[in-house]
């Protein structure tokens, strides 16, 4: 498959992930709760896994692409092109969500669907959220991204069952959101995080977004290395 096709697929797939997942949080979160938002993120991944997985692998996430690169399944150049496509798709989706927010007359965006931590985040996000320190937020985002990548690398291993990969990955992402929405609003995806931080009116969104870029990348890189040890590639 040509790299241009893969880039378009990644852009569209990440666009849908942000529009579906963050859109549910913004416009239906009051009705469906954390469970509904978690399911929405899982469903977007499942849909894209079977919709564009055969084109690009449906990474939809710079951390996933980094983990795949570290594991030796893609080149650095291809990874960087995936990153570009993913960030573009996510930011376009964020801009559309902002337009919809304004068209609904909802006023200031506040947290929007941005990630955050600490007392300030809880104060603006609501009583359903927990106060998590910067270190705690880094740990949870790094750890959950690590687990996410281990599942992805295992489910897409040529020795695994490819037909079940999309479902396994989507359900894992759902569980990840159930664990961490109350703590950090769940990132595990730098593109998703940046796409919301730049449109949030909360002053802490952009200053804190670095954590939700770095922590998932660290967790993904560690998983890429770890999977080499757990399931080393077959020697020719």
């Amino acid at each position: 498959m040509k790299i241009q096709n893969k880039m378009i697929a990644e852009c569209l797939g990440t666009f849908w992930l942000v529009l579906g997942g963050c859109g549910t949080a913004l416009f239906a979160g009051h009705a469906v709760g954390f469970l509904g938002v978690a399911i929405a993120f899982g469903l977007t991944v499942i849909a894209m896994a079977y919709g564009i997985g055969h084109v690009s692998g449906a990474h939809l996430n710079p951390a996933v692409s980094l983990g795949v690169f570290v594991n030796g399944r893609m080149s650095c150049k291809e990874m960087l092109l995936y990153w570009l496509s993913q960030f573009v798709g996510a930011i376009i989706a964020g801009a559309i969500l902002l337009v919809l927010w304004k068209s609904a007359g909802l006023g200031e965006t506040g947290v929007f669907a941005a990630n955050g931590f600490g007392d300030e985040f809880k104060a603006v996000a609501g009583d359903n959220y927990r106060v998590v320190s910067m270190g705690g937020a880094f740990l949870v985002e790094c750890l959950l991204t690590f687990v996410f990548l281990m599942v992805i690398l295992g489910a897409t291993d040529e020795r695994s069952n490819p037909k079940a990969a999309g479902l396994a990955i989507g359900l894992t992402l759902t569980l990840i959101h159930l664990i961490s929405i109350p703590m950090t609003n769940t990132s595990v995806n730098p593109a998703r995080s940046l796409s919301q931080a730049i449109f949030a009116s909360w002053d802490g969104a952009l200053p804190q977004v670095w954590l939700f870029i770095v922590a998932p990348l660290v967790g993904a890189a560690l998983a890429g290395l770890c999977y080499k040890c757990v399931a080393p590639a077959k020697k020719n």
Side-chain angles (χ1 to χ4, degrees):
M1 193 69 66
K2 293 181 179 180
I3 187 61
Q4 295 93 328
N5 300 89
K6 294 180 179 181
M7 291 177 68
I8 292 171
E10 284 299 307
C11 185
L12 289 173
T14 312
F15 170 87
W16 181 240
L17 173 72
V18 172
L19 193 73
C22 294
T24 299
L26 290 172
F27 300 111
H30 65 285
V32 301
F34 290 161
L35 174 60
V37 174
I39 291 173
F41 273 100
L43 289 176
T44 59
V45 168
I46 292 171
M48 289 298 99
Y50 293 110
I52 63 169
H54 63 288
V55 179
S56 66
H59 293 188
L60 321 179
N61 181 340
V64 172
S65 298
L66 177 61
V68 171
F69 163 70
V70 171
N71 192 246
R73 300 188 193 181
M74 72 186 308
S75 68
C76 181
K77 178 182 178 181
E78 189 174 27
M79 178 192 72
L80 293 175
L81 291 173
Y82 269 46
W83 281 12
L84 174 62
S85 304
Q86 290 155 358
F87 277 109
V88 168
I91 291 171
I92 292 173
I96 290 176
L97 289 174
L98 177 65
V99 170
L100 294 174
W101 182 274
K102 296 295 185 181
S103 70
L106 297 175
E108 291 294 317
T109 54
V111 171
F112 211 40
N115 304 108
F117 57 86
D119 292 313
E120 184 185 355
F121 175 68
K122 176 179 171 59
V124 293
D127 293 336
N128 289 332
Y129 288 82
R130 301 289 182 261
V131 177
V132 181
S133 67
M134 180 175 68
F138 195 99
L139 176 61
V140 73
E141 288 291 334
C142 182
L143 176 61
L144 292 179
T145 308
F146 175 87
V147 173
F148 191 37
L149 262 294
M150 290 296 288
V151 172
I152 290 171
L153 293 171
T156 58
D157 193 310
E158 62 181 10
R159 294 162 289 185
S160 185
N161 179 5
K163 293 182 179 179
L167 187 59
I169 294 166
L171 289 175
T172 300
L173 187 61
T174 299
L175 179 57
I176 284 171
H177 277 77
L178 288 174
I179 295 168
S180 59
I181 289 178
M183 291 186 279
T184 64
N185 226 14
T186 308
S187 171
V188 301
N189 185 334
R192 167 258 184 274
S193 294
L194 185 62
S195 76
Q196 301 304 292
I198 61 179
F199 296 114
S201 61
W202 169 48
D203 292 338
L206 282 173
Q208 290 190 0
V209 75
W210 69 269
L211 186 147
F212 301 101
I213 294 175
V214 176
L217 292 177
V218 171
L222 290 174
L225 292 172
C226 184
Y227 193 79
K228 284 185 175 182
C229 300
V230 173
K234 294 184 293 185
K235 295 182 180 180
N236 294 327

